[in-house]
Amino acid sequence: MAIKSHQGPSNGAIVMAAALAVRMPSTPAAHSPLGDAPHVGGPVPFYHLALDQLPYDNALENATRTGWRYPVIGSIKAGLVDIRGDEGTNSASFGGLSYGIVAERFIQASTLAEVQLANSTDEYEPRLLDVPTLSFLALWLRSSEGDWFIPLLDGGPPSSAPLKMVREVLPQLRARAANRAIGRSPPPSSPTN
């Protein structure tokens, strides 16, 4: 398996490092948000899919890239740094730092994808797909041979279901949207969904 890497904004790593330096001063690791010196991964494009795009067959092609997430691993916690800007430009700006279960599950999903797709000869572009209205976030592995998704928030409570790779997410998202439209809560996702 080959993973396509992205450059992100040309000054994205600099903006991210400056933002982390402010949030992780030279104090004991226990007092910093992630703990210890961070190790940073490459930027992953972050895509937003709106509810009104879901009914269309080309919904995923119309998802909008809204920024980049840089995975950061400290000795205590994983984090995702939100950087906004266009790839290859000096337009980067800091959007925020999140840490906790979503960042941890993103790291775990990345590892799962590496293991599951190790023998594939295809190239995969990692993305994050967000449908905030439906509380959906997934690692999206885009490929000419077919996409894979690893939903990060499945389960009841959210993020409690084991991570698994699936080929399709649009039917599940459309069902959630339909339930939302008629005022019903969708059934909690289970490991078999």
Side-chain angles (χ1 to χ4, degrees):
M1 167 183 79
I3 297 289
K4 179 180 178 182
S5 60
H6 291 276
Q7 176 186 1
S10 299
N11 62 337
I14 295 167
V15 170
M16 180 197 53
L20 286 177
V22 169
R23 284 153 186 79
M24 300 175 76
S26 58
T27 58
H31 296 101
S32 68
L34 300 176
D36 210 2
H39 302 280
V40 180
V44 177
F46 190 82
Y47 282 82
H48 173 79
L49 186 63
L51 281 181
D52 61 356
Q53 294 171 305
L54 284 178
Y56 300 102
D57 291 338
N58 63 347
L60 292 173
E61 287 78 21
N62 291 321
T64 306
R65 190 184 75 218
T66 60
W68 305 86
R69 296 302 184 269
Y70 288 72
V72 180
I73 301 173
S75 66
I76 299 171
K77 297 178 184 174
L80 292 172
V81 178
D82 177 2
I83 298 292
R84 309 291 169 94
D86 294 324
E87 187 162 27
T89 67
N90 283 325
S91 62
S93 63
F94 177 70
L97 168 66
S98 61
Y99 52 92
I101 192 67
V102 171
E104 292 168 14
R105 286 179 61 93
F106 171 76
I107 301 296
Q108 293 167 357
S110 298
T111 302
L112 174 65
E114 285 182 40
V115 170
Q116 293 291 319
L117 300 173
N119 295 324
S120 174
T121 57
D122 203 13
E123 179 179 65
Y124 292 90
E125 176 190 342
R127 299 175 171 189
L128 278 164
L129 177 65
D130 182 38
V131 187
T133 308
L134 300 178
S135 300
F136 180 85
L137 182 67
L139 174 59
W140 175 12
L141 299 154
R142 185 93 172 141
S143 164
S144 62
E145 299 296 319
D147 298 348
W148 285 100
F149 301 88
I150 305 175
L152 303 179
L153 302 177
D154 279 358
S159 302
S160 63
L163 293 171
K164 67 177 183 171
M165 295 179 63
V166 296
R167 280 288 192 180
E168 293 285 331
V169 294
L170 288 177
Q172 174 191 13
L173 292 173
R174 289 174 180 141
R176 284 187 190 183
N179 283 333
R180 183 179 184 276
I182 59 173
R184 291 192 321 215
S185 296
S189 299
S190 70
T192 58
N193 282 350

